[in-house]
Amino acid sequence: MKQAHFKKLIQANKELFYQDLAQLIAIPSVKGQAQVGAPYGIENKRVLEKIMEIAESYGFKAHLVEDAVAYIQVGEGDEYVGIVGHLDVVEAGGEWTYPPFELTQANGKLYGRGILDNKGPIFSCLYGLKLLIDQGYRFDKTIRILFGSDEESGSSDIPRYLNQEKAPVFAFTPDCKYPVVYGDRGILNVVFETTLSAQSLALISEIDGEQGRSFVPDVLSCMVEGQALAVQGKRAPSNAPDLGSNGITLLAEKIKETTTNEELKHYFTWLYDCLHEKHLGQGLNMSWQDEMSGYLNVTPYLLEKTPRTIRKPREL
C-alpha cells in the first residue's frame, strides 16, 4: 500500500477514530483501590473492558489476562510480535485549559489526559491495524497488541500477563518520544530527611499544594513565622523537569528570604542553591552522564514537614 493511499484512508476514517478514542479518554483510569476482579481499581478495569468492546466492534477477538492486560491478535502462530502500551493514566491535577477527561480538538491538536501517554498512541496502533485489514492486507507474522493498566505505577500488570502468556519474540511500545527510543534510564527515588529543632519547625506550617512523583509541582504555599507565602510554578512531567518551573525550589527561595530563623534559612538556602534550575544534578555534585543514556535528571517532587524533620524525596 502506497503512503499517499494510506494517508487518504486515514483521512476518510478519522471521525470514527476520534469517536472511539474519546470513549477511552472519558474513563478516568487512574489507579484505585484493588477489588476482586479489578486489581488496579474499577476505572482501570473499565478502560480494559472498553478497549475490548471497541476492538470487537472492529472484528477482532479480544482477550483479558488476569483482569490486568487486554490484548487482540492477528494470526495464529505461537510466536508473535508484540505492540505494548497502556491505558492507565496519572491523576489529572492542576489547572486545565480543556477538560482532562474529554477529547478536545483545538488549534490543530488533540487534548485530554492520556492523549500522548498512552491512550492515543496505543489506540492508534489498533486503529491502523483495523484499516490495513479492512483493505485486505495480510501479515506474515502473528501480531498482538497489549493494553496494560498499571504502567504509571510500576507495570506490575506485565508479570501478571507473563504468568499466563508467552513473551513476544520481538516487541516495541509506542509510549516514547519521536521518532524512536531504544533504551530507557532507570529511576531511583531518594528521600532526604533533615532533622530540625522543635522551635524551628514550629515556625513553619505544613506545605499545601498538590505534589506527586509523576510531575513537577507548581502551586504551593505555607505559613512561615505568621506570614503567608505562595508560589506559582509551571507543572511538567517529572522526567522532563526543564519544561517546568518547580514550586518546591520557588517556595524555598521565598522562605529563605522571609524567615529570621537561622536554622530554617540555612536549610532552605541549601535546598534552593542545590536544586533550583539544576536539573542535571550539578548542584549536588551528581552531574553524571554516559554516551548511551545522556545526563542524569534530578527532580524534587515532594516537600513535607513531619513532627521532627523536613522531608524532600527526589527522583533520579
Side-chain angles (χ1 to χ4, degrees), residues 1 8 21 35 54 96 130 159 161-162 164 176 180 184 192 198 215 218 224 228 231 250 298 303 309:
M1 183 182 294
K8 289 180 180 179
L21 177 58
Q35 300 187 32
I54 292 171
W96 285 71
K130 162 191 157 45
Y161 171 83
L162 293 174
Q164 303 294 329
C176 60
V180 67
D184 202 0
F192 285 106
F215 59 90
D218 49 4
V224 176
V231 294
L250 294 176
V298 175
L303 179 67
T309 67

Side-chain angles (χ1 to χ4, degrees), residues 283-299:
L284 298 172
N285 196 27
M286 295 172 57
S287 185
W288 303 326
Q289 63 172 313
D290 61 39
E291 184 177 356
M292 181 174 290
S293 302
Y295 278 98
L296 173 78
N297 277 343
V298 175
T299 308

Side-chain angles (χ1 to χ4, degrees), residues 214-220 231-250 272 275-280 297-301:
S214 64
F215 59 90
V216 170
D218 49 4
V219 181
L220 298 177
V231 294
Q232 171 73 65
K234 180 182 178 183
R235 187 170 296 208
S238 57
N239 64 356
D242 54 305
L243 299 180
S245 180
N246 199 307
I248 289 175
T249 59
L250 294 176
Y272 179 81
L275 291 173
H276 183 67
E277 299 297 329
K278 294 182 172 69
H279 308 304
L280 305 180
N297 277 343
V298 175
T299 308
Y301 63 82

Side-chain angles (χ1 to χ4, degrees), residues 35-193:
Q35 300 187 32
V36 176
Y40 307 115
I42 293 298
E43 298 299 343
N44 288 31
K45 175 66 175 296
R46 193 157 71 91
V47 78
L48 294 179
E49 293 172 338
K50 177 55 68 175
I51 194 63
M52 292 173 70
E53 175 188 318
I54 292 171
E56 287 171 350
S57 76
Y58 296 164
F60 296 106
K61 185 176 181 180
H63 307 263
L64 183 62
V65 179
E66 292 201 5
D67 298 306
V69 175
Y71 75 86
I72 65 93
Q73 181 169 300
V74 175
E76 300 298 331
D78 197 32
E79 295 186 338
Y80 64 93
V81 173
I83 303 172
V84 186
H86 65 95
L87 298 175
D88 59 307
V89 297
V90 296
E91 294 181 359
E95 299 179 0
W96 285 71
T97 303
Y98 304 105
F101 297 109
E102 293 181 18
L103 180 64
T104 301
Q105 299 182 52
N107 309 314
K109 297 180 180 179
L110 299 176
Y111 297 87
R113 172 55 91 215
I115 193 66
L116 288 177
D117 185 14
N118 179 239
K119 291 179 178 179
I122 193 61
F123 178 64
S124 296
C125 292
L126 175 65
Y127 201 76
L129 191 60
K130 162 191 157 45
L131 294 183
L132 287 171
I133 291 173
D134 287 349
Q135 292 295 300
Y137 193 89
R138 296 295 177 261
F139 299 90
D140 296 331
K141 304 291 184 182
T142 298
I143 297 174
R144 184 179 291 191
I145 303 180
L146 281 66
F147 303 90
S149 61
D150 187 48
E151 191 271 352
E152 299 293 357
S153 299
S155 296
S156 66
D157 50 347
I158 298 303
R160 288 174 178 264
Y161 171 83
L162 293 174
N163 284 338
Q164 303 294 329
E165 302 288 333
K166 288 184 62 175
V169 294
F170 176 84
F172 72 90
T173 174
D175 189 356
C176 60
K177 295 179 174 64
Y178 182 86
V180 67
V181 172
Y182 62 88
D184 202 0
R185 289 173 292 187
I187 297 175
L188 176 64
N189 286 287
V190 179
V191 177
F192 285 106
E193 288 193 342

